[in-house]
Amino acid sequence: MKLEIETARLIIRPPSIEDFDEYWEMNNDPEAKKYTGGVIKLSYDETLAIRKKVCDRFELSDSKFFSVIEKSTGMYIGYCGFKYCELLNGTEICYGYNRSAWGKGFGQEAAMATLPYAFETLKLKILVSAVNPKNIASERILQKIDMQYDGQIEWKEQGLVNKYSLTSDKYFSMAADAN
């Protein structure tokens, strides 16, 4: 199955090795990775080998991290997707973007566009997320896609982070209201 989601400004598709240089750049930018695990500690070649496997096994993987491509330029600007998070005890929406894409609303656009995949394709009952309260832009994305603030939890190397959730009932209610 070839999955591709298109919005007014974005193409959201399975990862491709052709995106690797922009992916590498983003993952080695300390500012871009400040709240998402830090820069890659592996070499270029080690990371490239892992990325090739991720691209080849996308369909079979439990984690679904889509490449986000800016339509007007055809450039990889980041990722948006889902993975199970033990600490949150649920499937987490995750995203990260190259700094050149910041402040343009791409994060919200991609997150909103992938919600149908989470609730209609993956059949999730709840989607969760955690965000460092200092990461204001990321927290705004969660709020704009109608995730509910559920309090704080302790996160290794981040301290207290804000926890959010969105239930399938709320998602389907929002989807019905939009139509």
Side-chain angles (χ1 to χ4, degrees), residues 2-19:
K2 180 84 171 143
L3 175 66
E4 188 170 285
I5 302 165
E6 195 167 326
T7 70
R9 302 181 300 157
L10 304 172
I11 296 170
I12 303 160
R13 59 160 171 73
S16 168
I17 203 61
E18 286 77 29
D19 306 330

Side-chain angles (χ1 to χ4, degrees), residues 3-178:
L3 175 66
E4 188 170 285
I5 302 165
E6 195 167 326
T7 70
R9 302 181 300 157
L10 304 172
I11 296 170
I12 303 160
R13 59 160 171 73
S16 168
I17 203 61
E18 286 77 29
D19 306 330
F20 184 75
D21 287 337
E22 289 84 10
Y23 171 84
W24 173 258
E25 180 183 318
M26 178 186 68
N27 282 288
N28 280 284
D29 179 342
E31 190 63 23
K33 297 302 292 177
K34 186 175 187 176
Y35 300 111
T36 57
V39 298
I40 293 175
K41 295 179 178 36
L42 302 174
S43 72
Y44 181 93
D45 290 337
E46 291 169 322
T47 305
L48 179 61
I50 291 168
R51 190 70 179 164
K52 282 180 182 176
K53 289 178 185 174
V54 166
C55 293
D56 291 344
R57 297 179 182 157
F58 179 80
E59 301 273 338
L60 304 173
S61 176
D62 289 337
S63 297
K64 298 292 185 199
F65 288 100
F66 298 96
S67 289
V68 179
I69 309 299
E70 184 179 13
K71 268 190 200 178
S72 65
T73 63
M75 294 294 295
Y76 172 93
I77 59 169
Y79 65 88
C80 183
F82 311 98
K83 71 172 183 168
Y84 182 79
C85 176
E86 196 170 308
L87 187 59
L88 294 172
N89 192 30
T91 300
E92 179 180 20
I93 185 168
C94 302
Y95 42 80
Y97 294 91
N98 289 332
R99 277 201 273 172
S100 65
W102 290 6
K104 298 177 182 177
F106 293 137
Q108 177 189 349
E109 190 172 330
M112 188 64 79
T114 58
L115 290 180
Y117 183 81
F119 291 109
E120 297 170 23
T121 303
L122 298 178
K123 308 281 188 214
L124 298 179
K125 295 293 180 208
I126 190 166
L127 187 62
V128 294
S129 193
V131 62
N132 187 307
K134 294 176 187 170
N135 191 349
I136 296 165
S138 184
E139 192 153 31
R140 278 195 201 122
I141 291 170
L142 299 177
Q143 292 165 348
K144 287 180 178 180
I145 65 170
D146 282 329
M147 291 190 83
Q148 173 185 311
Y149 174 76
D150 293 329
Q152 292 188 312
I153 61 169
E154 185 70 30
W155 199 275
K156 184 180 178 188
E157 297 173 14
Q158 295 273 333
L160 286 176
V161 298
N162 294 336
K163 183 179 176 186
Y164 283 82
S165 66
L166 179 63
T167 65
S168 59
D169 289 344
K170 185 171 181 183
Y171 163 77
F172 285 112
S173 174
M174 290 181 338
D177 289 346

